[in-house]
Amino acid sequence: MYNRVSQSTIGGDYKLLTNYAYKLRPNVTQSNKMGGWLDMLRSTYNWSLTDRIAQYNQQFIQGDYCDIRTKSEACPLTCFVSKNGASGEPWKDAKKDLDGKLKNPRRSAGDIQITALPQLKKARPWFGKIDSTVLQQNVKRLDTAYKNFFDGRGFPKFKNRSNFTSFTYQMGVKVQGSKIYLPKLGWMRFFKSRLIPDGFTLKSATIRKRQDGWYVSIRIEDKSIPDYVLKPIDEVKSILGFDLGITKLVHLSDRYQINNPKFSTNKKAKRTLKIRQRRVSRKVKGSKNCKKAASKLGRFHKKITDKRVTYQWDVANLIVS
């Protein structure tokens, strides 16, 4: 279990967003369904990325052209390299905004690919088994990757089974006791390691496959947070400063030091990692024995990660208290 907290302000009102993660207990049918969904969503993601790249390359070969139906200049571009580029049917009905001005009638690449999802379901009926919001969030995931690219990060990459392990629900998820309802999957049990606080509403849920099973990350929101009033400096009784170290995890201003256990670089962990990595490298690539050895190596890496996260929360609790 882990959580992530973020606080944002809209119109002067505070709201709290946080994630609670739980381990799921799906039955065999549900587990197989989610595994199949990941394969189909990955293929859709890669196809959408291929479509955007191909249409972008076509712009430099074909250039702009005159669309017969709209009798206006159009462009085959589907990616966000051009702000006014789109493919398929790039135009939509012009509507006025609140100020009475006409909105830009040209659609973005994400809007076009989301609109084409019903055609995908008609051509390939097995995609109808996937919840519609999951398919839409999959396209928006590619939009986010393009946005990150223009913010200075790497260009979106094609996904494989090792780096595409999650999908997101935007609506329809319900929690009742130690059960969670996921559209098109039904009710599913989970390990309720902590209670969801009162006053929070469920915003979305991300299902993620890990080495030791399936997990759900529930995003919850609370808009009833009062304004935070800063305490005057003359009322502050004590101040504690800390700095992250290398040999020691944290150095505090009162000369107290917190040890760094180095879960992945101690003698025992290094030896275990060396042995398990060697077993993977000696197996025939793509064989069942290779997958078993890789799974065992992945579980050990997750064990190290869980130890590190737990220790960090314990240290944070110690500093705060």
Side-chain angles (χ1 to χ4, degrees), residues 172-184:
V173 180
K174 296 179 287 187
V175 176
Q176 207 173 72
S178 60
K179 291 183 178 181
I180 183 171
Y181 177 77
L182 302 174
K184 297 292 184 78

Side-chain angles (χ1 to χ4, degrees), residues 208-255:
R208 183 171 286 105
K209 185 179 182 180
R210 295 188 175 180
Q211 295 294 338
D212 61 341
W214 294 89
Y215 288 78
V216 57
S217 178
I218 303 174
R219 189 169 183 80
I220 54 178
E221 179 187 42
D222 185 9
K223 296 182 179 180
S224 61
I225 299 178
D227 293 340
Y228 179 73
V229 181
L230 294 176
K231 184 182 291 186
I233 192 65
D234 54 353
E235 296 183 9
V236 178
K237 297 181 180 179
S238 63
I239 297 177
L240 181 66
F242 61 92
D243 185 27
L244 297 179
I246 299 176
T247 57
K248 299 292 183 179
L249 184 63
V250 180
H251 298 268
L252 302 180
S253 58
D254 59 357
R255 298 181 180 274

Side-chain angles (χ1 to χ4, degrees), residues 114-216:
I114 289 177
T115 307
L117 289 176
Q119 300 176 11
L120 173 67
K121 294 180 181 179
K122 187 176 181 180
R124 295 171 175 82
W126 50 90
F127 277 92
K129 299 178 181 178
I130 304 178
D131 183 68
S132 57
T133 62
V134 173
L135 287 169
Q136 294 169 9
Q137 290 300 313
N138 193 43
V139 176
K140 292 181 180 179
R141 180 176 179 175
L142 181 58
D143 292 344
T144 303
Y146 266 93
K147 181 179 181 299
N148 293 337
F149 168 64
F150 288 106
D151 288 341
R153 304 178 195 177
F155 188 79
K157 297 180 180 179
F158 293 98
K159 301 295 184 180
N160 54 37
R161 289 186 177 181
S162 62
N163 56 21
F164 192 95
T165 58
S166 64
F167 56 88
T168 301
Y169 284 97
Q170 193 63 26
M171 59 181 65
V173 180
K174 296 179 287 187
V175 176
Q176 207 173 72
S178 60
K179 291 183 178 181
I180 183 171
Y181 177 77
L182 302 174
K184 297 292 184 78
L185 292 174
W187 288 97
M188 190 182 302
R189 293 184 178 273
F190 67 94
F191 293 97
K192 197 170 185 178
S193 52
R194 72 186 306 180
L195 296 175
I196 298 177
D198 296 332
F200 281 84
T201 57
L202 199 152
K203 301 295 291 183
S204 62
T206 299
I207 312 300
R208 183 171 286 105
K209 185 179 182 180
R210 295 188 175 180
Q211 295 294 338
D212 61 341
W214 294 89
Y215 288 78
V216 57

Side-chain angles (χ1 to χ4, degrees), residues 25-191:
R25 299 169 57 189
N27 55 39
V28 176
T29 303
Q30 291 171 334
S31 181
N32 292 337
K33 266 188 179 182
M34 291 187 292
W37 283 19
L38 284 179
D39 292 337
M40 289 188 283
L41 291 170
R42 186 180 70 252
S43 66
T44 305
Y45 182 96
N46 291 336
W47 183 90
S48 300
L49 178 57
T50 303
D51 179 57
R52 297 192 188 193
I53 294 174
Q55 296 296 336
Y56 174 72
N57 292 333
Q58 287 179 16
Q59 183 193 24
F60 295 98
I61 300 173
Q62 181 177 341
D64 295 340
Y65 62 96
C66 180
D67 185 69
I68 297 177
R69 282 183 293 178
T70 59
K71 298 181 180 180
S72 59
E73 186 177 306
C75 173
L77 186 65
T78 62
C79 68
F80 293 135
V81 174
S82 173
K83 294 182 179 180
N84 60 354
S87 72
E89 177 56 48
W91 303 98
K92 60 183 178 181
D93 296 335
K95 296 181 180 179
K96 294 184 179 181
D97 55 15
L98 298 177
D99 298 331
K101 297 180 180 179
L102 288 176
K103 295 182 180 179
N104 186 6
R106 190 181 282 273
R107 299 189 298 172
S108 66
D111 293 338
I112 292 174
Q113 290 181 337
I114 289 177
T115 307
L117 289 176
Q119 300 176 11
L120 173 67
K121 294 180 181 179
K122 187 176 181 180
R124 295 171 175 82
W126 50 90
F127 277 92
K129 299 178 181 178
I130 304 178
D131 183 68
S132 57
T133 62
V134 173
L135 287 169
Q136 294 169 9
Q137 290 300 313
N138 193 43
V139 176
K140 292 181 180 179
R141 180 176 179 175
L142 181 58
D143 292 344
T144 303
Y146 266 93
K147 181 179 181 299
N148 293 337
F149 168 64
F150 288 106
D151 288 341
R153 304 178 195 177
F155 188 79
K157 297 180 180 179
F158 293 98
K159 301 295 184 180
N160 54 37
R161 289 186 177 181
S162 62
N163 56 21
F164 192 95
T165 58
S166 64
F167 56 88
T168 301
Y169 284 97
Q170 193 63 26
M171 59 181 65
V173 180
K174 296 179 287 187
V175 176
Q176 207 173 72
S178 60
K179 291 183 178 181
I180 183 171
Y181 177 77
L182 302 174
K184 297 292 184 78
L185 292 174
W187 288 97
M188 190 182 302
R189 293 184 178 273
F190 67 94
F191 293 97

